[in-house]
Amino acid sequence: MDHNPDRICVWPGYFDAKTSRRSGRRVPRDSSVIKPDLEGLFYAACKVGLRKIKREEDVSHPNRPYGKEGRLWVSSSGAKQSIGASNKEEVLQMIGAEWRQMQKDAKQNEAQRVAEGPKAGDKRGRSQRKSRGQGNQQNQRSSFKKRSGFKKR
């Protein structure tokens, strides 16, 4: 691909919370996410307000050739115009902060949904919930059979 100074290349690996700065993370820990992927990166970039985005899948970073993580191409002039970011680091930090917030909200919604339990009329959820209880332990005990081969004297 030819060089275009108006484009910024954004890799999901830049936002990985488990890697160090030396290993390739480009954003602070509070803007990084767990298990970054191209879809999440794309949604976070769109939610920040970036409009001129090109998604490229099955491409590996030169320092990480073992993983085909994909990348985003972002127009730097479009980023400056839409979100006011003048350089790549500002764009990355804004995307990272939004992505982290999206992950926190999703985790919180999931925890709230689990705490509420199954809805009325959800027979499948209710039956699964009941099977996890103490009735399961009683069934295991009752399945033990005594040997009948020995006689008492």
Side-chain angles (χ1 to χ4, degrees):
M1 209 170 226
D2 56 340
H3 178 68
N4 186 351
D6 186 46
R7 291 188 307 188
I8 298 172
C9 184
V10 181
W11 298 89
Y14 291 168
F15 302 94
D16 193 2
K18 295 197 178 204
T19 61
S20 64
R21 287 274 195 160
R22 184 172 283 180
S23 298
R25 183 170 45 89
R26 300 272 305 258
V27 295
R29 206 52 85 187
D30 61 345
S31 295
S32 60
V33 295
I34 299 169
K35 295 183 183 177
D37 60 339
L38 189 60
E39 286 297 314
L41 177 61
F42 181 72
Y43 289 131
C46 288
K47 198 165 181 183
V48 164
L50 295 172
R51 296 292 168 238
K52 296 182 179 180
I53 303 171
K54 181 182 175 190
R55 194 174 6 183
E56 205 172 332
E57 297 178 3
D58 294 331
V59 181
S60 61
H61 190 274
N63 287 345
R64 297 180 292 273
Y66 48 84
K68 301 268 186 197
E69 57 187 323
R71 65 181 166 199
L72 285 184
W73 289 104
V74 178
S75 170
S76 61
S77 62
K80 185 169 184 140
Q81 187 179 28
S82 61
I83 61 175
S86 59
N87 58 14
K88 183 174 182 173
E89 295 306 315
E90 288 181 19
V91 172
L92 292 178
Q93 287 185 7
M94 291 176 85
I95 291 173
E98 185 62 39
W99 198 359
R100 174 92 177 214
Q101 189 62 40
M102 286 169 50
Q103 269 195 351
K104 280 185 179 180
D105 292 344
K107 189 175 181 180
Q108 190 176 32
N109 289 341
E110 180 66 21
Q112 183 180 6
R113 189 184 64 78
V114 168
E116 288 176 358
K119 304 285 185 217
D122 185 12
K123 290 184 179 181
R124 182 176 174 198
R126 292 178 61 81
S127 67
Q128 288 177 355
R129 185 174 180 188
K130 287 179 185 176
S131 68
R132 287 188 219 140
Q134 294 179 4
N136 216 9
Q137 294 172 355
Q138 291 173 354
N139 290 340
Q140 289 175 353
R141 289 184 194 142
S142 65
S143 66
F144 177 74
K145 293 182 180 179
K146 294 182 181 179
R147 283 196 203 175
S148 60
F150 296 107
K151 295 181 180 178
K152 289 186 178 179
R153 293 184 186 185

